[in-house]
Amino acid sequence: MTDSACRPGCAACCVAPSISSPIPGSRGRRGLPTGKGAGLPCTQLTEGGLCALFGEPERPGVCVSLKPSREMCGASRDEALAYLRALEDDTAP
Ligand code: SF4
């Protein structure tokens, strides 16, 4: 797996996976105290596909630690969504 650059506005990783940690609210956006379900856009995702919490200390640790990679991100948003959906299915309880 090789590092790659994040595609601005892609946001596949803010939609496809479930997040079990709380997601705080910010700037009029509601928080998700119990996290978010798979396939649901995060409430902190802006219209431009960016994170409203980017650079803020309350951004969830799982989001801070997730790094783009060729394997995960593929060559397009659709490829990233497909990879992340499959990963979610493979790791569902
Ligand atoms: S908090 Fe930000 S980085 Fe994390 S899922 Fe939501 S929009 Fe994406």
Side-chain angles (χ1 to χ4, degrees):
M1 177 164 46
T2 322
D3 285 347
S4 66
C6 183
R7 274 189 301 274
C10 169
C13 57
C14 303
V15 176
S18 59
I19 294 180
S20 57
S21 58
I23 298 170
S26 76
R27 302 182 189 124
R29 296 175 185 277
R30 72 184 170 87
L32 298 168
T34 58
K36 78 169 204 68
L40 301 174
C42 178
T43 52
Q44 299 310 311
L45 197 55
T46 69
E47 291 68 24
L50 303 176
C51 175
L53 293 174
F54 192 85
E56 301 294 333
E58 60 268 36
R59 189 174 179 226
V62 65
C63 304
V64 174
S65 64
L66 185 68
K67 302 296 180 208
S69 69
R70 262 188 238 168
E71 181 181 11
M72 177 176 77
C73 303
S76 66
R77 182 175 195 263
D78 284 346
E79 285 187 17
L81 285 169
Y83 177 90
L84 289 161
R85 276 190 209 114
L87 189 65
E88 183 72 27
D89 289 347
D90 288 349
T91 56

